[in-house]
Amino acid sequence: TSTRFIKNNFSIIIYNVSKAIIDDESIYLLLKESKYEYQILELIENVLIAQYVPQTECFCVHNNRVWCATTNGEMVQASALAAPFDFYELGTLSTDSWYVEVGTPGKFTDITSWNNRVLAFKKDCIHVIYGTEPLNYSLEKSYANGCIDKESLAHVGNYIIWLSHDGFYEYAGNTPRRISDKLNTKYVSCTAFGDYRRYYAKSKRGV
């Protein structure tokens, strides 16, 4: 399959387009390059610029970088400073991109920014990353109370709340704490949202 884009009398045909974002200044095309990464094609003033980004379904913005948890569950990556498509400038500068291998099984369910850190969730664990730049980023000890569904995770005031296997948990900078009764029923999904004071959730039971 192919997609034709026409902009300012300039015509381009791109194959295997997964997603396209078009605005007044440029065209961004997302192509699946491999099972590990995507290719971003940016068309600016009839000039085509290609960059590669990790394949991910979970990302957030933290301290002027895009952070993503890779689809294969192996790494957390941070873009270069103020460069959301640059994930492979792996040098020693404070503005360079960065990555870490987490060493735990399973896929990521979500990633989020909280205060001065980034939290990457899997169903059975949480990875916490501290630091202000690549030279001092560090992967903190993982916690066991993971998030079973990214739709259950919400920021409520100064807390992050989500559904784990045995109940709802909150995080406020220390060890996650269960804030609900222990669940005796297995839930397979949960949709939630929060405001500054309350957390609202609707969960689906498993068979």
Side-chain angles (χ1 to χ4, degrees):
T1 59
S2 63
T3 304
R4 179 187 293 273
F5 295 92
I6 301 176
K7 187 176 178 65
N8 298 333
N9 296 320
F10 181 81
S11 177
I12 182 172
I13 298 177
I14 301 295
Y15 292 86
N16 298 324
V17 174
S18 297
K19 184 179 292 185
I21 302 173
I22 304 175
D23 59 28
D24 293 336
E25 300 296 330
S26 59
I27 297 176
Y28 299 96
L29 306 176
L30 182 64
L31 289 77
K32 186 174 181 181
E33 184 71 9
S34 71
K35 66 178 181 178
Y36 298 112
E37 62 185 357
Y38 287 106
Q39 186 178 23
I40 291 285
L41 299 182
E42 184 177 2
L43 179 63
I44 303 178
E45 296 181 354
N46 300 349
V47 177
L48 194 62
I49 302 171
Q51 292 179 287
Y52 291 92
V53 296
Q55 189 174 146
T56 180
E57 297 174 6
C58 308
F59 62 90
C60 68
V61 176
H62 177 72
N63 288 347
N64 209 16
R65 300 176 189 267
V66 173
W67 290 73
C68 69
T70 58
T71 302
N72 60 17
E74 295 178 0
M75 292 187 293
V76 172
Q77 295 184 242
S79 73
L81 188 69
F85 296 148
D86 187 354
F87 284 85
Y88 299 105
E89 192 68 32
L90 301 171
T92 58
L93 299 178
S94 62
T95 56
D96 285 338
S97 52
W98 180 84
Y99 77 95
V100 64
E101 295 181 356
V102 297
T104 53
K107 293 185 176 182
F108 290 101
T109 53
D110 206 359
I111 187 170
T112 191
S113 169
W114 185 88
N115 202 353
N116 61 347
R117 66 207 70 173
V118 171
L119 286 77
F121 291 81
K122 293 187 175 185
K123 288 187 176 181
D124 298 311
C125 66
I126 308 168
H127 298 286
V128 184
I129 299 168
Y130 292 90
T132 57
E133 61 182 64
L135 293 178
N136 62 26
Y137 285 145
S138 62
L139 181 67
E140 181 70 9
K141 177 184 177 182
S142 302
Y143 300 111
N145 312 109
C147 174
I148 68 166
D149 188 343
K150 66 179 298 182
E151 298 300 329
S152 74
L153 193 146
H155 290 253
V156 181
N158 294 323
Y159 301 91
I160 300 173
I161 300 177
W162 66 92
L163 177 61
S164 191
H165 291 291
D166 62 343
F168 289 92
Y169 281 77
E170 70 174 16
Y171 178 84
N174 297 311
T175 303
R177 181 176 71 94
R178 194 175 71 231
I179 56 174
S180 69
D181 293 335
K182 186 174 182 179
L183 301 180
N184 296 318
T185 301
K186 179 180 179 181
Y187 289 89
V188 294
S189 64
C190 177
T191 302
F193 68 94
D195 55 26
Y196 191 78
R197 298 177 57 190
R198 294 181 176 89
Y199 175 83
Y200 306 88
K202 180 180 179 180
S203 303
K204 180 179 179 181
R205 295 181 179 181
V207 178

